[in-house]
Amino acid sequence: AGGGTAQPGSFINVVVVADAMGSLHFFDADGSPLLSVPCDTWALGSANAPEACVVSKFAFEVGASISDEPLLAVAGPRGVVSILNLTLWREDQIIAGKKPRIRKDPETGEPLPGQPTPEPPSSRTIGGLGLVVKYESSIDTTVAELADGGGAAVAESEVSAMILFSARAGDSGSKRYLAVAHTSGEVRSFDRNGTMLKGIVLEGGTPALDIKKTGSSLAIAESGGVSFISSSRFTFGQVYCKGGMSPVVSMVYDVLSPGMLYVGFQSGDVVLYNTKAKNDKSTVCTKMYKLPTTGGTNGVRLHAARGYVLATTYEGISIFNSTHLRESGVRLIAKKATASATAAEAAGGDAAKEGRKGKDKKGGRDKGTKVGKTAVSCEHLAIPPASVSWVAGAKLPEVLVVLPTSDRSCTGAGGSGEDNLELFEALLPYNPVSTDISWMRMPMLFGGLIIVFGWQFFKGKKGGGGGFGGGRG
């Protein structure tokens, strides 16, 4: 979300990292600390149950309009998800989040007394950014009551994937929803106050490892492929993308061709599917091809920007150009080894298994590549992440890349005592050949008028007249 003095289409990246004690640490893209939120702020009952502070998943949603509050969902143990709302400030202005309606004196233009004022941030970065995080609700997604009074509990289960999304709700505009997949194989939807709306069970009871929204559908990554369900009715669609021997762990739609879906597997392979292919009169999902030089021994994470798709495994990042994927396919243009892979190899291959997600908000930033570093004390940090967190805001092509650079030195003699995350801003150029011929409209119009008047003139001359129409003498 954005606003204030932010330029249209600009953005501000914010990264959130959870440590082993359940504290949430927020940083800007330059690595400057914004805010630290202790576990007891978001996890109810954590004072009596410290295990409630273990964070397993993040989900972020910026909102459908500039006035919506950005929401952060934090999944703890046993299927409990907490919803936090965020307000981002720059100097004395709110640039992301709900702005209060201030009534002013019609004569003086000054705010009327006695009105509630928004809570300002407790601290700010050098650049003037400040963040306020407020607890909104906690949802036990394994034991929930349906909106119609029904509902059933599922066995004690962990969150395997989740997504926050906005959807139209009749004449009342858009509302915010949460879809949660459990390790038991069930997927449930909730409104933001915790009321369970719908639920389905995936075939075979296998857990979904990723969820993506496109239009009015949710793509669900299962072990054997990708299913599609209606985000409102929560029923299975007819289209199914069949996978392979390896479980599907990540997905992303191509920005320029939304029907094209990149699917990442635990094996490290990335396969492109056409989810809107036609077979007779029905729509089917067909496998296009496997992206070159993908594959390995670790699961792959995916993100797409305009004209590009990025695939990251523990070993490194591969960048592909997908501008003309229908005509010439997807071409590998660059690869980069991650510092964490080198560090893990030096430490005997004892690598971490989970990355922590960040988020992206609108705001203002000049074009260019920003690189920053932030450190979190090893005393409280869980095992360092081994993959990249890709986060992009609403319809923005820019990508924030979070790379772990820890050498695990905090556990060794003479270590630095810190784990580092290196932040990159991927601003990949997109300059398609323009086919716009609107500039020819006026010259063609004038040319047509000259031809018409010229034809009329010479026609009159040929008829012996002295002007248009060839009148008689």
Side-chain angles (χ1 to χ4, degrees):
T5 58
Q7 297 297 319
S10 55
F11 64 99
I12 289 178
N13 283 317
V14 178
V15 181
V16 58
V17 179
D19 65 27
M21 304 299 292
S23 293
L24 309 180
H25 305 280
F26 295 84
F27 303 88
D28 69 10
D30 296 321
S32 301
L34 273 170
L35 184 68
S36 289
V37 178
C39 172
D40 57 12
T41 300
W42 63 267
L44 295 183
S46 59
N48 300 321
E51 64 274 11
C53 293
V54 178
V55 176
S56 61
K57 300 289 180 183
F58 283 127
F60 176 75
E61 210 266 330
V62 76
S65 69
I66 199 171
S67 61
D68 284 340
E69 300 160 299
L71 296 181
L72 178 68
V74 185
R78 297 183 294 279
V80 177
V81 177
S82 295
I83 305 295
L84 309 177
N85 65 61
L86 288 71
T87 306
L88 186 67
W89 293 64
R90 181 190 286 129
E91 303 299 343
D92 59 349
Q93 289 186 312
I94 295 176
I95 61 173
K98 185 172 291 186
K99 300 179 182 180
R101 294 181 178 179
I102 304 298
R103 293 182 294 119
K104 297 183 178 181
D105 188 306
E107 296 181 358
T108 64
E110 296 295 325
L112 295 174
Q115 298 184 80
T117 57
E119 177 187 344
S122 57
S123 61
R124 300 179 188 273
T125 65
I126 297 176
L129 290 178
L131 183 66
V132 176
V133 177
K134 289 188 176 181
Y135 169 86
E136 188 168 294
S137 63
S138 283
I139 307 171
D140 187 344
T141 63
T142 62
V143 181
E145 183 177 342
L146 285 167
D148 60 8
V154 296
E156 185 171 304
S157 180
E158 302 294 335
V159 174
S160 60
M162 64 179 180
I163 185 174
L164 283 163
F165 61 94
S166 298
R168 295 287 300 177
D171 296 334
S172 59
S174 63
K175 288 188 176 181
R176 318 290 282 281
Y177 300 96
L178 172 72
V180 178
H182 295 110
T183 52
S184 62
E186 184 167 0
V187 183
R188 291 180 162 189
S189 66
F190 301 84
D191 61 20
R192 66 188 289 178
N193 64 11
T195 301
M196 180 178 166
L197 304 175
K198 302 284 184 179
I200 58 171
V201 178
L202 301 177
E203 184 177 353
T206 57
L209 298 180
D210 195 14
I211 306 175
K212 289 291 189 295
K213 186 175 185 294
T214 174
S216 60
S217 298
L218 296 177
I220 309 292
E222 304 179 44
S223 60
V226 180
S227 295
F228 299 86
I229 63 175
S230 166
S231 60
S232 56
R233 298 188 303 273
F234 237 62
T235 54
F236 284 102
Q238 297 298 316
V239 177
Y240 180 78
C241 300
K242 186 177 181 180
M245 299 298 292
S246 180
V248 177
V249 295
S250 63
M251 305 173 293
V252 70
Y253 283 92
D254 189 86
V255 176
L256 301 177
S257 302
M260 297 294 183
L261 178 67
Y262 300 94
V263 177
F265 294 88
Q266 182 62 45
S267 62
D269 291 324
V270 179
V271 176
L272 177 64
Y273 289 83
N274 183 354
T275 65
K276 296 183 179 180
K278 297 297 181 181
N279 182 10
D280 294 330
K281 295 183 179 180
S282 61
T283 301
V284 296
C285 179
T286 59
K287 186 182 295 185
M288 301 286 287
Y289 47 79
K290 175 179 172 290
L291 268 63
T293 69
T294 58
T297 58
N298 293 276
V300 63
R301 303 279 297 277
L302 298 172
H303 186 84
R306 285 182 300 179
Y308 298 91
V309 61
L310 300 96
T312 300
T313 66
Y314 179 73
E315 289 84 6
I317 305 172
S318 299
I319 302 175
F320 300 86
N321 188 306
S322 61
T323 304
H324 305 290
L325 66 86
R326 294 180 183 271
E327 296 83 7
S328 55
V330 180
R331 299 179 294 106
L332 176 69
I333 59 173
K335 293 193 73 172
K336 175 180 175 59
T338 60
S340 56
T342 305
E345 184 178 356
D350 184 19
K353 300 296 182 185
E354 181 65 22
R356 296 304 187 209
K357 291 186 181 289
K359 62 183 189 320
D360 182 288
K361 297 183 173 198
K362 289 182 185 176
R365 182 175 294 281
D366 294 332
K367 285 290 181 181
T369 301
K370 293 290 294 182
V371 179
K373 287 189 177 180
T374 184
V376 181
S377 173
C378 274
E379 181 181 355
H380 299 298
L381 185 68
I383 298 175
S387 58
V388 171
S389 294
W390 306 102
V391 199
K395 299 180 180 179
L396 291 176
E398 292 82 1
V399 180
L400 181 66
V401 184
V402 185
L403 294 177
T405 59
S406 170
D407 58 1
R408 307 298 300 278
S409 59
C410 57
T411 60
S416 64
E418 290 185 336
D419 282 315
N420 292 317
L421 303 176
E422 194 165 11
L423 313 181
F424 295 87
E425 189 177 350
L427 300 179
L428 299 167
Y430 174 67
N431 301 304
V433 177
S434 176
T435 57
D436 183 15
I437 60 172
S438 60
W439 61 272
M440 297 176 62
R441 205 170 290 161
M442 293 305 293
M444 291 175 66
L445 178 61
F446 283 118
L449 290 174
I450 292 172
I451 292 173
V452 170
F453 279 101
W455 181 77
Q456 290 284 358
F457 179 78
F458 286 110
K459 181 182 176 183
K461 281 285 198 182
K462 186 176 181 180
F468 292 107
R472 299 179 188 179

